[in-house]
Amino acid sequence: MSRIFTQVFYVLLFVCAINLAVQAQSITVSGTVKDRQSKEGLAGVSLVIKGQSGGTASTANGTFSFSTTAKLPFTLVASYVGYGTVEQQITTNTSGIILELETAVVLGGDVVVSASRTPERILESPVSIERMSAATIRDIAAPSFYDALNNMKGVESSMQSLTFKSINTRGFNSNGNTRFNQYIDGMDNQAPGLNFSVGNIVGITELDVDNVELLPGASSALYGAGGINGTLLMTSKDPFKYQGPSFQYKSGINHVNDDNSSVQQFNQLDVRVAKSWNNKFGVKAAFSFLQAKDWIGNNFSNFDRNSRTAKSGDRNSDTNYDGINSYGDEVSQNMRNVALSVQNATIAGINAGSGGAIPNIKALMDGAFGAAIPTGAQQAGFLSGLPAALRPAVQNYLPFYVGLKANLIPDQNVSRTGYNEENLVDYDTKSLKASGAVYYNFTNTIQAVAQANWGTGTSVYTGSDRYSLRNFNIGQYKVELKGQDFYLKGYTTQERSGDSYISSILGSYINEVSKPSTTWFPQYIGNYVGARAAGQTDAAAHALARGVANQGRFVPGTPQFESAKNAILNTTISATSINAQDPTKSVYGAKFDDKSNLYHYEGMYNFTNAFNNVVEFQVGASYRLYDLNSAGTIFNDLNESIDIDEYGAFAQIGKKFFNDKVKITFAGRYDKSQNFEGRFTPRVTGVFTVAKNNNIRASYQTGYRNPTTQNQYIDLSVGGGSQRLIGGLPEIIFGKYKLDTNRPFTDVSYRAFLASAATGTPNPALLQQYTLDSRGVRPESVQSYELGYKGLITPNLLIDAYGYYNIYKDFITAVDVYQNVGTPASPTFVKFGIPVNATDEVSSYGAALGLDYLINKWTMSGNVSYNQIGDLPVNYINDFNTPKIRFNLGLGNREIIKNFGFNVNYRWQDKFYWNSSFASGDVPAYSSLDAQVSLKIPSVKSSIKLGGSNVMNKYYITSYGNPAAGAIYYIAYSFNP
C-alpha cells in the first residue's frame, strides 16, 4: 500500500512540475565580489536575485556569472558568512558588477521561517525562537554545531555517548527525548522503530548546514503531533548559493586524565561539493566520517530497580548488589524463596520417583529427626535408608532442609555477578554521513528538489536499558516541489538496526550460558548454609557461596567469554528459546532486527500574495504511515504486521493593525491517528511593536503527542530479562496479556507479598490489584502561555526575555505491575512495564533572559534560564529532569588582529534529580568552558582552528546513569568553509 501510494505521489509531483515549467528569455548577470578592506576577491559568496530561487556563488578569485529570466530592474543580494549582506539595484547593465562586502555582525537582522512557517525578522517572531547561522557555526568552539546547541537560551541536553545527545527545552528532559521534534530540510529525523530523534548521528554534515532554528515549547498547531517541549529545524545549504568544493579535517584527543582509559584519538573528515548551471540545474554532495573512542559508563552505584532509588553498598557488602553500569546483576532471587522452591520441587520429585510411596520427603525427615537439627551422621543414616535412586536428590536437598529448619537462610535477595559495561558495549564510535541533492528551477520561483541523506554509525543510546547501536543506519529520501507560495513534498525514513543489541540482556545471557540461574542460585544457597553451619560469619559465608557459584563463570577477554558474547550478539531477541530440561540446548539472543519505515506526504499553500497582503493566510495538510518491522525484537510483530496511519491539516491567518503596530495570528490544526481520537490544537499569538526594533509578544499555544510506536506496540524483555515492556494499547494489555481478566498487582504490594513468602507463610491478602484504564494509553497534551520581549535597546545591544506557564494533561508515564501466570497455590509472577497516563494535571513554569552586545568587532553574549515544576499529583513520579538555573556566557572576536579570531563560551547549570526507567539519582552542578582560536589564510581560502570543549577537563554528567564527559582538544583545517 505504502509503495503504491509513494509511486502515485511521485507521478503527480512530476506532472505538476512539468505543467508549471515555462519558457522565458534569459539574461546573464556577472561581476566580481571583493573584501572592502583588502580589495581581494571573495570566494563562495552567495549571489541571488531578491525574491527568487536560484543564483550562484563566486569563484576562487571572486568572479561570478549566472543566467536568469528575471526582468529588469531587480535587486542583487550578496551574502557571505561573517560579512554584512549587500543589496544592489540592477537597472540596465548586468555585467561588470562590483560588490564590496565588509566583515560585520548585525544584531536582530536574522530572518526566521519556523516560528510562523513564513519568513519574518527574528525581532518580530510571535513566539520564542533561537537561531544559529552558518557564521555562528563557523566560529563555535564545540567539536560540532550540534554540541553547541547547549549555548542557546533555555536549551538542555542529555548526553548518552560521544555522538548521541538528546536536546530539550522547558523541562521533562529524557534520554532519547520523544517530546522534542527534530527536522532536517523538513524531514522528521526520528527513527520510526527505536523512536528517538537520531540527532546528528546521521543526517546533515557540518559543512552543509545553512542555519538551525529552535522553537522552545509547544508547536503542534503548525507542525503536528509531537514537539510539545520544542522543535529543532536544521536547514542545509542551497547549491545555487553555496558553490564549489569545501573540505575540513579535524583531529584531536579525548579521555585525558581518564581513570578508565588512556588518551584516545578523535578524527573527523568533512567534504562538500556543489555546482549549478545557468541558474537552472544544481547539484550537491556531502560526506562526513568521524572515528573516536566513546566515553565509558562507569557508574557502579548500587541501585534498587523496583523503587528506582539508590541504595548503599557494593558487590562486597551487598549480596543483592545491582550496579547501574553493570549488567547481568539485575537477575536476583530471594534466598528463602529459592530454598522453599527447591524444597517444593524435591517433595514433588521424590513423590513421583517413589511412585507415591513417599508423598512428602520433608514430613518424613521431620519425623525421623524430630525438632533437633540433624548431625552429619544422622543425615548419612537417613540417606542410607532410602532407595539408591532417590539418594542424590535428597542429598542435594539436605542443605536447604537444614538451612530452613535451623533458620540459617536469611530473608534477603542475592543477585548474580554482573559484567561491567565496557566489557559488553562497543565503544569504538563511528559516524558516516553521506547526502546528495539535485535541484531544478522551472521558473524564477518554482524549484524541484530530489534529496537523499544516509548515515550509519556505532554509538550508545540509553532508554529503559543501555543499547549498543552497532552499524545502525538510517536513510531519508525526499522529493519536493516548492514555489514562492507553496510546497508539496514526500519523503521516507528507512531505519535499519544493523547489529544493535541490549547490553543488560547480553550480560545476563552470558551468565546463563556459563551457568544457568536454576543451578547458580541453589549452589549459592547450599554452600552458604554449609559455611554457616560450619561456624563461618555471614559475610564469610556469602563470599564463599559466591565464589563456588561463580566457578566456571566466563571471564571477559577469555575465549569462552568472547565466544558466548559473539553468539548472543549474532542471535536476535525473538530467536531466544529457553530449554528448562536441558539448558545447554537453550538459545540466547540480544540483537535487534528492526527494519521499520516511515512514509510522509505534506503540502502547504500560502494565499497571502493572492490576497494582496491584506491578510496572511496559509493552509496545509499531511499524511504519515508508520510501517513497523522488528521481527518480534521490539514490537509485537513476530506473527503480524503493524502499520499506523496518521493524517492532519492546519490553517493560519494573520493580520496587522494600527499602522502595523500590532499583529494578531490565529492557527489551528486537526490530527488523527488510527489508534486514537482526533485532536484539534489551536494557537493564538500577538506581536506589539512598542518602538522600532522593539516588540512585545504574547501567545497561547497547545500541543499534543501521540504515544510513540513503542508506547503502543512494544513487546520487549529488558533489565537482563527481569521485566517485559509492553505497549499500552488495549489489544496488547488486554488482548494478548489478559491484564483485564487476570489483573496484575501493584509493585508495592508485590514486594510486601514476597516478604511474607520469605517467612514461610505467604499472605496473598497483601496483594493489591492494579486496574488499567480500559481505553489504554492515550495522547498527552499541553497548554502553554508565554509573554516575551525582544528588542534592540541600542544598535549594539539586543535583549530577549520571556516567561511561560505550561499545563500538561494525560501525561504519559509508566507503571510496573506483576501478573500471576501460575496458580494461587503455586504463583509465578511476571513483571510488566506499561505506559499509562497520569490521572491529574501537571504544571511547569519558567523564564529566560538573553543579552547580546557588540563593541566594534567584539561580541559578548549571555543568557540565563529558570525552570520549575508545579505541585505534583499524588503518586506522580517526578521526571522533570531539569536544572532550576542554568546560564551561558560568550565572548568572541572574528578578527582581533588581522586574520586571527577567537571564541569562548562558559556554561553552568545547577544540580538536579534525574528520574528515568533506566536509573535515577542526583546530577551534580557542573561548569564547562569551550574555547577556540582561529587563523584565516585568505590566499588559499583556508582557515586553521585550535580549540576544545570542556577545556578545563572537569568530567561531568548531564543525566544519571550515562557516562561522564571530559575534554576534547582538537585542531581543524578548513578549505572554503
Side-chain angles (χ1 to χ4, degrees):
M1 165 100 182
S2 60
R3 294 186 180 90
I4 296 173
F5 196 96
T6 301
Q7 291 169 356
V8 171
F9 175 82
Y10 289 166
V11 170
L12 290 174
L13 187 63
F14 179 77
V15 171
C16 291
I18 295 301
N19 289 335
L20 287 166
V22 297
Q23 299 295 325
Q25 184 177 0
S26 64
I27 58 175
T28 300
V29 182
S30 62
T32 305
V33 187
K34 299 179 180 181
D35 183 295
R36 175 166 291 181
Q37 184 175 3
S38 67
K39 303 302 181 182
E40 296 176 344
L42 289 175
V45 176
S46 170
L47 296 123
V48 297
I49 295 174
K50 191 172 184 178
Q52 298 187 8
S53 60
T56 190
S58 58
T59 63
N61 58 7
T63 62
F64 65 90
S65 178
F66 66 95
S67 297
T68 178
T69 57
K71 295 180 180 180
L72 293 170
F74 54 73
T75 301
L76 184 62
V77 181
S79 59
Y80 188 53
V81 174
Y83 286 78
T85 299
V86 171
E87 296 187 3
Q88 185 166 319
Q89 186 81 3
I90 308 299
T91 56
T92 55
N93 190 7
T94 60
S95 62
I97 299 169
I98 303 296
L99 299 169
E100 292 186 345
L101 277 61
E102 60 181 340
T103 56
V105 178
V106 180
L107 292 178
D110 289 337
V111 173
V112 295
V113 177
S114 57
S116 302
R117 300 194 78 155
T118 188
E120 60 193 350
R121 295 177 65 209
I122 195 169
L123 288 174
E124 299 170 353
S125 170
V127 295
S128 293
I129 186 170
E130 303 292 319
R131 189 176 190 273
M132 184 185 294
S133 66
T136 304
I137 292 170
R138 189 185 66 174
D139 292 335
I140 60 173
S144 75
F145 81 93
Y146 205 82
D147 294 315
L149 293 175
N150 271 345
N151 300 336
M152 289 180 167
K153 180 169 64 272
V155 176
E156 68 254 12
S157 69
S158 166
M159 187 205 70
Q160 294 139 66
S161 57
L162 186 68
T163 58
F164 200 107
K165 298 174 180 66
S166 298
I167 303 299
N168 187 65
T169 63
R170 301 190 177 181
F172 300 103
N173 196 7
S174 65
N175 297 315
N177 193 353
T178 55
R179 294 186 173 95
F180 190 91
N181 282 343
Q182 297 185 39
Y183 294 88
I184 292 180
D185 290 331
M187 294 182 285
D188 192 339
N189 196 222
Q190 69 165 294
L194 295 179
N195 283 163
F196 50 76
S197 291
V198 294
N200 209 34
I201 298 178
V202 297
I204 199 166
T205 64
E206 186 156 314
L207 287 177
D208 199 32
V209 180
D210 182 64
N211 66 80
V212 178
E213 295 182 10
L214 186 145
L215 295 169
S219 55
S220 295
L222 295 183
Y223 293 96
I228 64 175
N229 277 20
T231 299
L232 181 71
L233 299 101
M234 296 168 276
T235 303
S236 67
K237 293 178 177 177
D238 188 322
F240 294 101
K241 300 177 183 179
Y242 299 90
Q243 294 196 44
S246 300
F247 167 90
Q248 178 177 267
Y249 179 70
K250 189 178 296 179
S251 183
I253 56 173
N254 66 342
H255 294 283
V256 178
N257 296 329
D258 188 345
D259 294 334
N260 305 292
S261 172
S262 60
V263 174
Q264 300 290 327
Q265 194 168 5
F266 170 98
N267 294 299
Q268 183 173 348
L269 171 67
D270 292 88
V271 179
R272 180 184 184 272
V273 292
K275 176 67 176 174
S276 66
W277 293 267
N278 300 321
N279 196 32
K280 275 288 188 182
F281 184 72
V283 296
K284 70 172 183 177
F287 169 87
S288 177
F289 181 71
L290 177 149
Q291 192 169 27
K293 191 74 171 181
D294 214 330
W295 304 117
I296 296 173
N298 65 338
N299 186 343
F300 300 116
S301 301
N302 203 3
F303 191 67
D304 184 342
R305 296 191 186 274
N306 286 327
S307 62
R308 293 189 184 180
T309 57
K311 58 179 180 175
S312 61
D314 56 21
R315 172 48 72 203
N316 295 323
S317 60
D318 182 5
T319 60
N320 195 37
Y321 169 78
D322 182 359
I324 288 175
N325 293 135
S326 175
Y327 309 116
D329 49 14
E330 302 88 354
V331 179
S332 169
Q333 295 287 339
N334 181 277
M335 294 179 69
R336 289 188 66 85
N337 288 344
V338 170
L340 291 170
S341 177
V342 171
Q343 178 172 273
N344 292 335
T346 304
I347 291 173
I350 296 299
N351 180 37
S354 65
I358 308 177
N360 190 324
I361 187 65
K362 177 183 179 297
L364 184 65
M365 294 169 74
D366 287 341
F369 300 133
I373 305 301
T375 64
Q378 289 174 320
Q379 294 177 38
F382 180 81
L383 283 173
S384 64
L386 294 174
L390 302 180
R391 292 173 191 170
V394 177
Q395 178 74 58
N396 290 332
Y397 166 56
L398 275 169
F400 301 94
Y401 174 79
V402 172
L404 290 169
K405 190 168 188 177
N407 201 28
L408 294 176
I409 302 176
D411 176 19
Q412 68 183 69
N413 277 43
V414 295
S415 61
R416 294 205 63 168
T417 305
Y419 293 97
N420 292 348
E421 180 176 297
E422 62 182 317
N423 301 130
L424 302 173
V425 168
D426 189 346
Y427 285 140
D428 292 328
T429 294
K430 300 179 184 67
S431 175
L432 187 153
K433 293 174 281 187
S435 62
V438 177
Y439 296 69
Y440 186 78
N441 293 329
F442 291 105
T443 71
N444 293 329
T445 59
I446 298 176
Q447 183 181 77
V449 181
Q451 182 176 353
N453 296 339
W454 183 86
T456 183
T458 294
S459 187
V460 187
Y461 160 65
T462 307
S464 296
D465 221 310
R466 287 279 280 170
Y467 303 117
S468 188
L469 305 179
R470 296 174 69 216
N471 305 318
F472 172 85
N473 69 83
I474 280 187
Q476 292 197 289
Y477 312 97
K478 178 185 76 169
V479 292
E480 181 174 14
L481 181 68
K482 56 185 177 181
Q484 182 177 346
D485 299 319
F486 76 96
Y487 71 78
L488 181 65
K489 66 184 174 185
Y491 66 87
T492 178
T493 302
Q494 309 278 314
E495 174 193 327
R496 302 296 179 263
S497 56
D499 300 314
S500 303
Y501 58 91
I502 306 177
S503 57
S504 72
I505 293 291
L506 175 61
S508 296
Y509 284 172
I510 292 175
N511 270 338
E512 295 300 323
V513 172
S514 64
K515 183 177 290 185
S517 291
T518 51
T519 301
W520 192 92
F521 284 107
Q523 275 191 359
Y524 185 107
I525 295 164
N527 281 279
Y528 171 85
V529 170
R532 292 289 282 142
Q536 294 195 31
T537 65
D538 180 71
H542 277 298
L544 182 145
R546 186 168 296 276
V548 174
N550 278 345
Q551 289 177 2
R553 180 175 182 265
F554 297 159
V555 177
T558 63
Q560 297 97 325
F561 178 88
E562 295 301 324
S563 176
K565 176 181 176 181
N566 291 331
I568 296 168
L569 290 185
N570 290 313
T571 303
T572 62
I573 296 169
S574 57
T576 299
S577 175
I578 308 300
N579 189 322
Q581 301 301 319
D582 185 359
T584 62
K585 295 181 180 179
S586 295
V587 176
Y588 299 99
K591 179 183 175 182
F592 292 116
D593 185 21
D594 188 44
K595 299 181 177 66
S596 294
N597 307 309
L598 178 153
Y599 301 90
H600 185 93
Y601 310 92
E602 183 178 339
M604 187 194 78
Y605 197 90
N606 188 342
F607 289 92
T608 303
N609 288 330
F611 293 164
N612 295 318
N613 294 302
V614 174
V615 295
E616 296 178 1
F617 182 59
Q618 302 166 316
V619 295
S622 65
Y623 168 78
R624 175 173 292 190
L625 170 67
Y626 289 95
D627 175 27
L628 306 182
N629 300 287
S630 76
T633 62
I634 299 177
F635 302 108
N636 181 40
D637 62 347
L638 183 61
N639 299 310
E640 60 183 89
S641 61
I642 300 176
D643 290 340
I644 306 173
D645 290 301
E646 297 180 354
Y647 57 87
F650 82 94
Q652 178 174 252
I653 187 168
K655 172 70 175 174
K656 290 184 176 181
F657 303 93
F658 307 112
N659 296 320
D660 294 343
K661 295 291 185 181
V662 176
K663 181 180 179 180
I664 305 296
T665 303
F666 296 90
R669 183 178 176 101
Y670 177 82
D671 285 275
K672 176 72 173 71
S673 170
Q674 70 177 45
N675 291 327
F676 309 105
E677 295 180 356
R679 292 290 179 111
F680 176 71
T681 49
R683 179 175 101 154
V684 182
T685 65
V687 180
F688 174 49
T689 302
V690 294
K692 182 180 180 181
N693 294 325
N694 288 266
N695 298 282
I696 294 174
R697 62 184 183 271
S699 65
Y700 165 74
Q701 299 191 82
T702 55
Y704 86 102
R705 179 177 75 91
N706 284 325
T708 66
T709 55
Q710 290 192 22
N711 287 155
Q712 297 179 56
Y713 289 104
I714 194 172
D715 193 351
L716 176 66
S717 175
V718 297
S722 61
Q723 182 179 21
R724 177 162 289 276
L725 303 179
I726 61 173
L729 293 180
E731 64 188 77
I732 304 292
I733 55 178
F734 303 138
K736 181 174 182 178
Y737 288 104
K738 310 299 180 185
L739 290 169
D740 52 349
T741 55
N742 183 12
R743 291 167 60 189
F745 303 103
T746 66
D747 174 68
V748 173
S749 70
Y750 171 74
R751 280 182 279 158
F753 170 76
L754 286 185
S756 71
T759 65
T761 56
N763 182 6
L766 294 172
L767 292 169
Q768 298 179 3
Q769 290 184 333
Y770 183 91
T771 302
L772 290 160
D773 194 307
S774 61
R775 297 168 293 177
V777 67
R778 303 178 308 284
E780 64 183 16
S781 61
V782 63
Q783 298 180 70
S784 179
Y785 303 86
E786 180 185 316
L787 181 66
Y789 163 81
K790 181 174 285 187
L792 289 171
I793 303 301
T794 71
N796 296 332
L797 176 60
L798 174 68
I799 295 180
D800 184 15
Y802 66 77
Y804 73 90
Y805 182 76
N806 291 341
I807 303 172
Y808 295 87
K809 184 180 179 181
D810 293 328
F811 205 84
I812 297 175
T813 181
V815 64
D816 294 333
V817 295
Y818 294 81
Q819 183 188 47
N820 181 11
V821 296
T823 64
S826 181
T828 301
F829 292 94
V830 175
K831 180 181 180 182
F832 291 104
I834 307 171
V836 296
N837 298 94
T839 55
D840 297 309
E841 292 182 344
V842 180
S843 65
S844 66
Y845 54 91
L849 171 67
L851 300 174
D852 291 282
Y853 186 60
L854 300 181
I855 304 178
N856 297 322
K857 294 184 179 180
W858 292 84
T859 302
M860 290 178 283
S861 63
N863 60 69
V864 60
S865 59
Y866 169 83
N867 297 280
Q868 182 65 284
I869 192 169
D871 294 334
L872 295 176
V874 177
N875 298 325
Y876 178 78
I877 297 175
N878 185 354
D879 56 354
F880 193 59
N881 295 346
T882 302
K884 186 176 292 186
I885 301 290
R886 66 187 315 276
F887 68 81
N888 292 280
L889 296 173
L891 177 65
N893 190 317
R894 291 176 179 170
E895 198 165 30
I896 188 170
I897 59 175
K898 186 176 181 180
N899 294 330
F900 277 92
F902 82 97
N903 189 55
V904 295
N905 190 272
Y906 176 79
R907 181 170 62 253
W908 179 90
Q909 71 174 42
D910 202 0
K911 68 177 181 180
F912 66 99
Y913 190 79
W914 180 273
N915 200 324
S916 75
S917 57
F918 174 69
S920 303
D922 289 318
V923 176
Y926 76 88
S927 61
S928 179
L929 179 68
D930 300 344
Q932 64 90 1
V933 293
S934 60
L935 168 65
K936 290 187 291 186
I937 312 173
S939 60
V940 289
K941 299 184 296 181
S942 301
S943 67
I944 297 174
K945 182 192 291 187
L946 179 65
S949 63
N950 190 16
V951 295
M952 304 304 292
N953 200 34
K954 296 179 180 179
Y955 281 78
Y956 65 87
I957 61 171
T958 59
S959 44
Y960 196 74
N962 288 321
I968 297 177
Y969 305 105
Y970 66 86
I971 185 169
Y973 170 78
S974 302
F975 170 77
N976 195 22

